Amino acid sequence: MDRVPRELPGARAPHWLRALPWALLVVVETAQFLTPETVQLGFVFAVLPMLASLAYGMAGTLLVSTAIMLLLALPEARAEHISSGDLLALGLIGAVSTLLAWVRGRRNAQLVTVRTVAEAAQYAVLPPLPPRVGPVRCGALYQAAVHTALVGGDLYDVQPGPYGVRAVVADVKGHGLGAVSTVAALLGAFREAVLDEPELAGVAARMDRRLVVDAARREDEELFATALLLEFPTRGGGGRGAAEGAEPLAGTGGGPGGAGAEALAGTGGGPGGAGAEAGRGAEAGGADVVGGPGGAGAEAGGPGGGGPRPDGGPPVEARLLSCGHPPPFVVGRAGAREVAMESGPPLGLGLTRSAAPEPLTVALEPSCVLLAYTDGVTEARDASGRFYPLGERVRPEREPVALVRAVWRDLSAYTGEIADDVALLALRVDPGE
């Protein structure tokens, strides 16, 4: 998992600030030699120890103060207007500046300790995502809206279980530190439900119940979250949607389409039904199949027949369930396409068990990547106020980690500054796993 790097403000002075006291010392002493005796620049020396206390610790500040005193004490370098009283005042300023540098160093050390503890707590809530969970390759990126926070109001997780590898991407009400407790509660409910619930609807219901209970305890009637649940079933586990037909998606290859299915130009896979049209996705039985060449009657632009697939692997089945969350994108060789799916009510309203739609089954070509996201991505705006068009700007990338990094770079360049929590999760199943 990638997190946008966050530096502790003031933890380490930049190089230019560390060089500034010494540079000013040389400049002022040179100017004192070149100007007439009537021009007094000695007062500038009083500023240098204080400036050094901002750039260095106690030892560095003491070194700068000592260098000033030695330089002014030399008869060759000492100007006539600098008296013994001036040297005493400069010595006191140097001592006070050294003390301030010591206090600042202790304060920074305490801040680093507090931040380390806070980071450990936040990583416990949302730990780094491994590059692989079972057969699923993972790539994720997270940025909290609060500048110094690692966790905000978005969440994601990928967990193995007895029913396959399951993942969640969710966005709770609000953002920033106020939403972290809700994020922790949802992640805990998801991780428990993954082990117990045989269906995605059951997982969603457990998470929904968690929010309902928390809302009653907090007396918060508006506590809710949108969520997208994903499942890659275990081999041989089957799936109700897998045998009911397929909807081909652009730029990919896959399983058979039913009668009247529309084939895509430039795709490869199993045979399509009679009358397949090239260049568009089609619906055939409610399940999505990513790819597949047209069979008899397919128009020019995609290979026909049932020849071997270019990637040499069978399609991979995934199941999706949306609870008020934006649908994911399937990123394939020809680009990205948003999965057309029905969405149920958000979590926290107590309606998930009764009103949740049936999970959508999608058969993915092994080269395809499922890209899920939160609204911090698509609601980011450029200088003219236009929303970020994720589907138009995402570029094909086989590796999930490389994909989320490329999206983040493009999003950052498009918006300049992002004020909301942002979460990206990319998943791909390796062929033959």
Side-chain angles (χ1 to χ4, degrees):
M1 176 185 63
D2 288 342
R3 280 191 173 98
V4 179
R6 304 302 179 101
E7 295 291 339
L8 181 64
R12 182 174 177 83
H15 294 297
W16 66 267
L17 183 58
R18 296 169 66 85
L20 188 58
W22 298 104
L24 285 177
L25 179 60
V26 174
V27 170
V28 173
E29 185 62 27
T30 302
Q32 187 68 72
F33 271 112
L34 298 178
T35 55
E37 290 295 332
T38 55
V39 178
Q40 299 185 12
L41 300 177
F43 68 92
V44 181
F45 290 109
V47 179
L48 299 182
M50 294 183 288
L51 183 61
S53 69
L54 297 177
Y56 296 100
M58 183 177 65
T61 304
L62 181 61
L63 180 62
V64 172
S65 301
T66 304
I68 295 173
M69 294 296 296
L70 291 176
L71 182 63
L72 295 181
L74 294 175
E76 296 81 3
R78 180 176 176 179
E80 294 183 0
H81 62 269
I82 296 180
S83 64
S84 299
D86 294 331
L87 291 179
L88 179 59
L90 287 173
L92 291 175
I93 293 173
V96 172
S97 298
T98 302
L99 178 62
L100 291 177
W102 175 75
V103 172
R104 187 181 65 86
R106 288 198 48 159
R107 173 182 172 275
N108 280 348
Q110 292 172 350
L111 287 177
V112 169
T113 301
V114 170
R115 174 156 183 154
T116 302
V117 174
E119 286 184 352
Q122 292 177 83
Y123 276 120
V125 173
L126 192 65
L129 192 65
R132 177 191 289 270
V133 178
V136 180
R137 288 187 175 274
C138 309
L141 187 140
Y142 196 101
Q143 174 179 289
V146 178
H147 180 68
T148 55
L150 298 177
V151 180
D154 292 352
L155 64 98
Y156 54 73
D157 198 10
V158 182
Q159 293 288 330
Y163 307 103
V165 176
R166 287 170 170 174
V168 62
V169 177
D171 184 0
V172 308
K173 186 199 75 170
H175 61 265
L177 298 177
V180 174
S181 61
T182 306
V183 167
L186 276 180
L187 284 172
F190 170 75
R191 290 162 184 165
E192 287 293 328
V194 161
L195 303 176
D196 301 331
E197 297 292 340
E199 298 291 338
L200 283 182
V203 177
R206 290 272 289 271
M207 298 173 69
D208 177 72
R209 184 179 64 182
R210 176 73 270 166
L211 285 187
V212 170
V213 172
D214 286 354
R217 177 173 56 85
R218 302 181 195 177
E219 298 182 353
D220 184 357
E221 297 179 355
E222 297 183 354
L223 182 62
F224 67 91
T226 66
L228 176 68
L229 296 171
L230 306 94
E231 177 184 82
F232 298 91
T234 54
R235 291 287 179 176
R240 290 171 301 186
E244 296 176 356
E247 177 188 353
L249 295 183
T252 54
E262 299 169 352
L264 295 175
T267 57
E277 299 177 0
R280 299 176 52 201
E283 298 180 356
D288 287 343
V289 174
V290 178
E299 299 179 8
R309 290 166 36 115
D311 54 35
V316 176
E317 183 181 283
R319 298 173 189 156
L320 312 175
L321 177 63
S322 173
C323 299
H325 200 82
F329 283 90
V330 175
V331 183
R333 291 186 296 268
R337 174 181 166 180
E338 188 177 70
V339 177
M341 60 183 302
E342 182 182 355
S343 178
L347 303 176
L349 305 182
L351 304 175
T352 300
R353 186 172 293 277
S354 60
E358 284 293 318
L360 177 69
T361 300
V362 178
L364 303 171
E365 181 181 315
S367 62
C368 290
V369 180
L370 268 176
L371 177 63
Y373 58 94
T374 57
D375 60 8
V377 176
T378 52
E379 293 183 1
R381 300 171 183 258
D382 64 6
S384 62
R386 292 175 298 179
F387 290 112
Y388 178 71
L390 176 61
E392 299 175 9
R393 297 179 68 96
V394 67
R395 296 294 178 262
E397 179 61 61
R398 180 178 172 85
E399 289 302 320
V401 172
L403 177 61
V404 296
R405 289 178 178 175
V407 172
W408 172 251
R409 287 193 299 267
D410 187 62
L411 177 64
S412 301
Y414 183 88
T415 60
E417 182 177 359
I418 302 172
D420 197 1
D421 299 316
V422 168
L424 291 164
L425 178 64
L427 304 172
R428 178 177 67 85
V429 178
D430 273 342
E433 292 288 342

